[in-house]
Amino acid sequence: MSRYNFKQTEEKWQKAWEDRQSFAVHVDPEKPKYYVLEMFPYPSGRIHMGHVRNYTLGDLVARYKRARGFNVLHPMGWDAFGLPAENAAIENKTHPALWTRQNIETMRQQLKTMGLSYDWNRELATCEPDYYRHEQKMFLDFLEEGLVYRKESWVNWDPVENTVLANEQVIDGKGWRSGAPVEKRQLSQWFLKITAFADDLLEELKSLERWPDRVRLMQENWIGRSEGAYMNFALKERDDSLQVFTTRHDTIFGASFCAIAASHPLAQELAGKDPDLADFIAECNRMGTSEADIETAEKKGFDTGLKALHMFQEGRELPVYVANFVLMEYGTGAIFGCPAHDQRDLDFARKYGLDVIPVVAPKDVDPKTFEVGDEAFIDEGLHINSDFLDGLNVEDGKAAASDGLEAISAGERAITYRLRDWGVSRQRYWGCPIPVIHCGDCGVVPVPETDLPVTLPDDVTLDEPGNPLDRHPTWKRVNCPRCDKPAERETDTFDTFFESSWYFARFCSPQAETALDRQAVDYWMPVDQYIGGIEHAVLHLLYSRFFTRALKQCGYLGVKEPFAGLMTQGMICHETYRDENGAWLYPDDIDFSGAGHPVHAETGKPVTVGRSEKMSKSRRNVVDPEAIIDQYGADTARLFMLSDSPPDRDLDWTDAGIDGAWRYVSRLWRMIDARLGRLPPPGTPRPDGGLSEAGDQLHRALHRTIANVSGDLDRFHFNKAVARIRELTNLIDELDGALGGVESDGWVLRESLEVVVRLAGPMMPHLAEELWQALGHQVLLVDTAWPEAEAALLVEETMTVAVQVNGKLRGTVELPKDAAENEAREAALALPRVSQALDGKEPRKVIVVPNRIINVVV
RNA sequence: GCCCCUGUGGCGGAAUUGGUAGACGCGCUGGAUUCAAAAUCCAGUUCUCGCAAGGGAGUGGGAGUUCGAUUCUCCCCGGGGGCACCA
């Protein structure tokens, strides 16, 4: 018996699809379109298993929709700007552009061995001027629309490298490479007004029904809309006032202090005269900026000596602190503290000996004796000790407090967001230059459209401190487009999220002279199914939603939501291995052949096997896709990616699993190869004679499988779809011996084998194409429609109904479909095991759920 | 700290609206084939009592709703993720 040669077969069909341009697509208003997109990769060097999973999922969807008659757009490109290119350039003495382009070459070749149904004619790389010139134009359009502004903002500054650090480059408060303590600095940076769309971005989440709930929830939390009030406290012995934002203005009578952020202008002003305060502010600035750092740090404050005057109580004064848990970026950078009803305020008050006055008490408690201990009372209740708010519940109290504030002009209702504007300036080389010029006389001047693109210089030095573009001897020196006097280019580049915020639209017309061809984007957009990692749940997806709105406002396209459907895939995990010294080992270094514990292949020393964790280079628990594809073939790798775990869950990579997938690939090939001689020719109409019992059983099963697999694929239950196909394979094997009694059985056998091949097509495209040809078809499988299930064959004539006594299973009965209740009851009570369980007692009640279950209650 | 997800055999996972828990695969055990091995095929495989027929328990733990709960409600425990310059 011959064996399946995956290598030859996979190359053969990849070439055939390419020669025929099977996956090249064009706008065709006559056909329904379907745009499926996987998140494009950063060209880091080689593909990893995460890519293999992502692109397998996307390819399955693309091929399935194609078979279902959609005009499918399925493109691929490269998210090619980014910091790793600069790091690699320094380490390997190469150039970021060269490094990136070489990586793209390698990775494209690797992807091509997977047999993915991309329209490669649409490939793009964001680092090419032909791509980024369009986003420079977009930026200028946004500027005109008032969606862009410049402001001072805080950054992590490495004083040795003279560079801004990303949060992940700050380790224990020190620069990752220099080890120098990181400082906070203010830089003037460009911002995009994402907050202008905050409400719409929040509101429209509801319309994204084909997004996972948890992603929508994460975005909702990120936007963080809160309804509350601004309140203005007059300051004792000063002319100005302190504005705070609060969502609990109803608790104003329980206020015992105010607190401002370390970077609040008032704090800055006071620090000028108070060295101790300046020290405290410096200490706050050394603290991490993330919310987690702030929330878990000890609550500390510094009493400024200022007193805020209570707007409703003459003579009542609240001390003003600078506190490390108040963020300048949120609300107004100032709060009032009501310790009785906020845990953080309570901790703070206990620490500094401030009053704790309860102003809301639970309904069933005597207000006179109600006290707050170590736990703030944040639940619903009625107001006490609160003057005109007494007796009101929380909601009414807020409304009344707002009215009271507005009546005396001491505040107003307000809505704030946690969402902040998007800072897009980066002090790096390998990014898209921001197309503006700074002129001493004219200020900020946009680069004229005719001068676009502003391209990066090639001759830069990266291994010195500071911003390479700023350091370049000539690049930034230009004349002002307005007054022609010597001026300087902006030397910052865009955040790389900029490129990924519109690439999906560019794929609709990747060669167009303008950024977007309206006819093409109007036809293809939005993306029908977007697939990628959950790690992009907030930033990339939110920026893209914003960007699409901004582009719509500028007339680039007509939709505001870029991604109608979203699927987030889980991570790939693998066991971890360490040697005696605790050093991580690669899976390839381990020898499992011995009877005892695994040992190091070279040294023979024992190895500790750790639990399965996300594949990562640092833990060395990685498996190289190229090696797997070389050893088992792309179809086997793809099948394994789809088999065991649902797409959104983590997947454990195991040798046993990939072996199992390979066994099925060869089994399917053998199964069909061995039967080719017994089949009627392709396209033979169904013979007139009836089927044998086995033939009928197989016939029904294959149509049930079509229905189930189609349903599973529609709902992205790919692991179940694989299981259904395997079940049908098992059944064909099982019934094979009983077939052949009548002429129609041969026809059913061919139908069954063809259905298995067609259903497996999107999963194992090369094998399926090969078998389709072996079965005698001239038209390629990729050009063949998806099979349809015959509804009549899905209806069962009899049903197996479970019989319970007091909820415990005692047997089953075969009943005609939709049998009458009486009939069902009789059949159930007639079961010996039922009467045995009844033990002579009369049933009190018999519950009959048609076609499902009968429960006898005693 | 806040928010979210998750928990089912030795393992990955099924169970569409509350209705036969464990589909499918992996692993393991026994057998066939082979000089031998690989590969392949057949049978078995939740735990427990029993020679068997059959009984009992069982979806992280505890309570509740129901004729019936993996599924719904409440409390508790374990594991994981996110929280603004990695992409």
Side-chain angles (χ1 to χ4, degrees):
Chain A
M1 195 195 294
S2 46
R3 268 173 78 94
Y4 175 52
N5 186 333
F6 67 82
K7 222 164 233 173
Q8 224 173 44
T9 307
E10 292 188 351
E11 273 170 30
K12 168 179 156 190
W13 291 111
Q14 282 162 20
K15 186 165 184 307
W17 297 326
E18 190 170 341
D19 289 349
R20 293 164 183 249
Q21 287 285 295
S22 293
F23 307 118
V25 281
H26 304 284
V27 168
D28 180 356
E30 300 299 305
K31 282 172 89 179
K33 68 93 185 182
Y34 195 91
Y35 184 1
V36 53
L37 182 68
E38 299 104 64
M39 291 181 183
F40 68 161
Y42 179 76
S44 55
R46 302 176 63 77
I47 62 167
H48 55 66
M49 281 300 174
H51 294 130
V52 175
R53 189 175 197 193
N54 194 177
Y55 307 145
T56 298
L57 295 170
D59 201 48
L60 171 54
V61 173
R63 286 174 181 267
Y64 172 59
K65 290 294 177 184
R66 210 167 163 276
R68 292 230 103 161
F70 289 91
N71 192 24
V72 172
L73 174 60
H74 188 210
M76 179 43 73
W78 310 96
D79 188 14
F81 274 137
L83 199 48
E86 290 185 48
N87 294 331
I90 295 168
E91 279 162 34
N92 309 329
K93 300 265 177 248
T94 171
H95 191 277
L98 186 66
W99 182 83
T100 302
R101 292 191 185 119
Q102 281 172 344
N103 287 348
I104 289 174
E105 282 302 312
T106 310
M107 291 173 74
R108 185 195 302 112
Q109 279 331 109
Q110 290 186 312
L111 288 187
K112 288 203 169 177
T113 65
M114 282 184 66
L116 304 163
S117 63
Y118 294 130
D119 180 357
W120 282 105
N121 305 317
R122 292 173 185 264
E123 181 182 355
L124 57 82
T126 59
C127 64
E128 303 301 340
D130 187 46
Y131 181 84
Y132 68 69
R133 54 188 275 224
H134 301 296
E135 70 188 40
Q136 292 179 336
K137 167 81 164 64
M138 289 168 184
F139 179 79
L140 297 179
D141 288 342
F142 293 169
L143 198 58
E144 208 148 280
E145 283 287 315
L147 293 170
V148 177
Y149 66 99
R150 219 168 141 71
K151 74 166 182 190
E152 294 279 308
S153 122
W154 293 94
V155 294
N156 298 312
W157 183 260
D158 185 320
V160 172
E161 296 209 350
N162 271 328
T163 183
V164 175
L165 299 176
N167 279 344
E168 70 144 26
Q169 295 172 319
V170 181
I171 295 154
D172 294 333
K174 299 191 175 90
W176 65 329
R177 267 200 294 243
S178 69
V182 169
E183 297 168 4
K184 289 236 172 93
R185 274 212 188 177
Q186 275 206 319
L187 283 186
S188 186
Q189 313 221 57
W190 288 102
F191 284 81
L192 296 195
K193 260 193 212 164
I194 189 170
T195 53
F197 295 91
D199 250 331
D200 193 48
L201 288 167
L202 181 66
E203 200 53 32
E204 289 297 313
L205 281 173
K206 294 192 193 100
S207 74
L208 298 175
E209 286 164 14
R210 292 196 295 114
W211 280 40
D213 287 340
R214 65 170 170 153
V215 174
R216 290 196 276 178
L217 192 66
M218 281 164 87
Q219 294 216 347
E220 191 182 318
N221 291 338
W222 190 266
I223 294 168
R225 183 182 196 270
S226 12
E227 276 184 46
Y230 287 131
M231 303 175 75
N232 299 313
F233 289 89
L235 293 170
K236 193 179 176 185
E237 291 162 16
R238 282 179 68 109
D239 294 336
D240 54 350
S241 63
L242 179 66
Q243 188 181 51
V244 309
F245 174 76
T246 179
T247 58
R248 288 304 301 272
H249 34 308
D250 61 307
T251 65
I252 180 61
F253 289 96
S256 56
F257 66 96
C258 285
I260 60 177
S263 45
H264 193 281
L266 187 57
Q268 299 286 316
E269 179 205 317
L270 296 169
K273 288 169 281 179
D274 185 343
D276 290 340
L277 177 56
D279 285 349
F280 180 74
I281 290 173
E283 187 192 325
C284 291
N285 284 344
R286 277 194 296 274
M287 202 173 64
T289 50
S290 77
E291 196 172 314
D293 288 339
I294 289 159
E295 293 275 344
T296 49
E298 189 191 349
K299 312 287 174 279
K300 284 185 187 167
F302 185 97
D303 190 345
T304 61
L306 288 184
K307 303 289 181 198
L309 303 177
H310 198 289
M311 60 278 291
F312 295 124
Q313 285 179 323
E314 192 72 38
R316 185 155 164 207
E317 299 178 355
L318 308 174
V320 177
Y321 284 79
V322 174
N324 65 352
F325 60 87
V326 179
L327 295 165
M328 192 61 222
E329 291 79 10
Y330 184 71
T332 60
I335 62 159
F336 82 79
C338 176
H341 305 292
D342 182 283
Q343 192 60 43
R344 210 164 45 179
D345 295 348
L346 182 62
D347 296 344
F348 191 82
R350 294 289 183 221
K351 183 169 174 146
Y352 293 102
L354 301 166
D355 293 341
V356 179
I357 309 160
V359 288
V360 179
K363 284 197 179 73
D364 49 358
V365 161
D366 178 7
K368 291 194 182 66
T369 59
F370 181 63
E371 276 182 31
V372 167
D374 291 331
E375 212 171 304
F377 178 73
I378 54 172
D379 298 329
E380 181 56 59
L382 299 178
H383 283 84
I384 55 172
N385 306 325
S386 289
D387 193 345
F388 65 97
L389 303 177
D390 278 346
L392 298 176
N393 66 21
V394 172
E395 193 191 332
D396 295 342
K398 285 181 182 180
S402 298
D403 291 342
L405 286 168
E406 284 164 5
I408 59 168
S409 299
E412 58 186 342
R413 288 174 167 83
I415 292 165
T416 61
Y417 298 89
R418 184 177 164 277
L419 182 70
R420 306 203 290 257
D421 278 333
W422 176 17
V424 294
S425 299
R426 297 290 182 273
Q427 294 70 40
R428 319 221 188 276
Y429 166 68
W430 195 233
C432 170
I434 299 178
V436 295
I437 289 164
H438 299 273
C439 170
D441 290 346
C442 311
V444 173
V445 183
V447 172
E449 254 188 75
T450 46
D451 292 351
L452 296 182
V454 178
T455 55
L456 290 168
D458 283 333
D459 52 334
V460 284
T461 49
L462 295 167
D463 48 358
E464 288 171 53
N467 179 348
L469 289 180
D470 194 35
R471 206 168 50 228
H472 191 279
T474 56
W475 184 78
K476 69 180 173 189
R477 305 205 189 287
V478 288
N479 287 342
C480 172
R482 215 164 272 170
C483 68
D484 207 36
K485 283 188 202 147
E488 284 193 0
R489 282 193 192 287
E490 167 85 43
T491 57
D492 284 356
T493 50
F494 285 133
D495 177 5
T496 56
F497 277 121
F498 215 95
E499 283 82 55
S500 55
S501 292
W502 68 283
Y503 78 107
F504 44 85
R506 180 69 180 168
F507 272 137
C508 300
S509 54
Q511 279 103 25
E513 259 310 300
T514 55
L516 307 174
D517 175 301
R518 261 317 278 264
Q519 194 209 350
V521 282
D522 286 348
Y523 176 74
W524 292 113
M525 287 295 290
V527 174
D528 294 278
Q529 189 60 52
Y530 196 35
I531 307 170
I534 185 76
E535 65 272 25
H536 293 293
V538 178
L539 292 186
H540 162 58
L541 291 169
L542 193 61
Y543 289 152
S544 297
R545 295 181 63 219
F546 155 67
F547 217 90
T548 305
R549 282 164 170 75
L551 288 175
K552 181 169 187 261
Q553 189 174 324
C554 297
Y556 279 85
L557 42 64
V559 297
K560 65 177 178 182
E561 286 297 343
F563 313 119
L566 175 70
M567 168 165 39
T568 53
Q569 79 195 64
M571 296 177 296
I572 314 282
C573 301
H574 195 282
E575 274 184 339
T576 50
Y577 311 102
R578 309 178 88 143
D579 68 12
E580 295 167 312
N581 306 320
W584 300 105
L585 299 170
Y586 290 105
D588 283 349
D589 295 336
I590 318 295
D591 179 4
F592 295 95
S593 60
H597 289 287
V599 295
H600 193 288
E602 273 171 35
T603 63
K605 289 184 176 164
V607 163
T608 316
V609 178
R611 48 169 227 170
S612 186
E613 292 183 73
K614 179 189 177 179
M615 279 191 183
S616 81
K617 278 183 191 159
S618 60
R619 279 187 289 265
R620 300 197 164 184
N621 59 337
V622 289
V623 175
D624 179 24
E626 194 173 296
I628 294 298
I629 290 171
D630 194 54
Q631 192 182 346
Y632 294 95
D635 286 338
T636 298
R638 292 169 59 128
L639 178 62
F640 177 56
M641 286 295 164
L642 299 169
S643 292
D644 284 344
S645 300
D648 58 341
R649 277 210 223 174
D650 287 353
L651 175 98
D652 258 312
W653 181 276
T654 59
D655 289 346
I658 190 77
D659 280 337
W662 164 244
R663 270 204 294 279
Y664 184 71
V665 166
S666 18
R667 181 182 166 203
L668 193 53
W669 188 84
R670 263 187 282 115
M671 176 178 178
I672 291 176
D673 186 57
R675 286 167 176 78
L676 289 174
R678 292 167 41 198
L679 301 177
T684 304
R686 182 178 175 176
D688 287 338
L691 293 158
S692 67
E693 198 178 312
D696 183 60
Q697 194 188 338
L698 185 57
H699 194 211
R700 288 174 180 280
L702 83 88
H703 281 272
R704 213 166 41 237
T705 305
I706 295 171
N708 285 339
V709 169
S710 306
D712 288 338
L713 294 188
D714 287 334
R715 281 179 301 237
F716 305 134
H717 294 176
F718 303 140
N719 55 326
K720 284 160 66 182
V722 171
R724 305 272 175 235
I725 295 174
R726 296 183 95 125
E727 262 179 325
L728 181 58
T729 313
N730 291 346
L731 189 69
I732 293 171
D733 252 343
E734 188 186 316
L735 294 177
D736 194 27
L739 292 175
V742 297
E743 193 193 351
S744 301
D745 281 359
W747 173 82
V748 166
L749 183 59
R750 167 172 276 281
E751 283 285 302
S752 312
L753 297 176
E754 290 197 349
V755 161
V756 171
V757 168
R758 291 161 77 185
L759 297 181
M763 302 169 182
M764 298 167 276
H766 312 88
L767 173 70
E769 197 72 82
E770 180 73 9
L771 290 172
W772 190 245
Q773 189 185 50
L775 283 162
H777 293 277
Q778 305 296 319
V779 176
L780 295 200
L781 183 62
V782 289
D783 295 321
T784 302
W786 193 250
E788 295 288 338
E790 277 177 45
L793 291 166
L794 302 177
V795 183
E796 299 292 337
E797 281 146 18
T798 66
M799 309 293 291
T800 306
V801 177
V803 180
Q804 299 179 333
V805 176
N806 285 341
K808 277 187 184 171
L809 184 70
R810 296 296 168 180
T812 58
V813 286
E814 281 293 317
L815 290 171
K817 188 174 158 55
D818 300 324
E821 197 175 319
N822 273 349
E823 190 186 352
R825 182 189 322 217
E826 302 291 306
L829 291 173
L831 281 181
R833 281 179 62 198
V834 169
S835 39
Q836 197 185 327
L838 285 177
D839 197 21
K841 288 186 279 255
E842 271 305 300
R844 195 156 54 92
K845 198 166 155 194
V846 178
I847 289 151
V848 178
V849 182
N851 303 325
R852 284 203 182 266
I853 205 164
I854 300 158
N855 192 8
V856 182
V857 185
V858 188

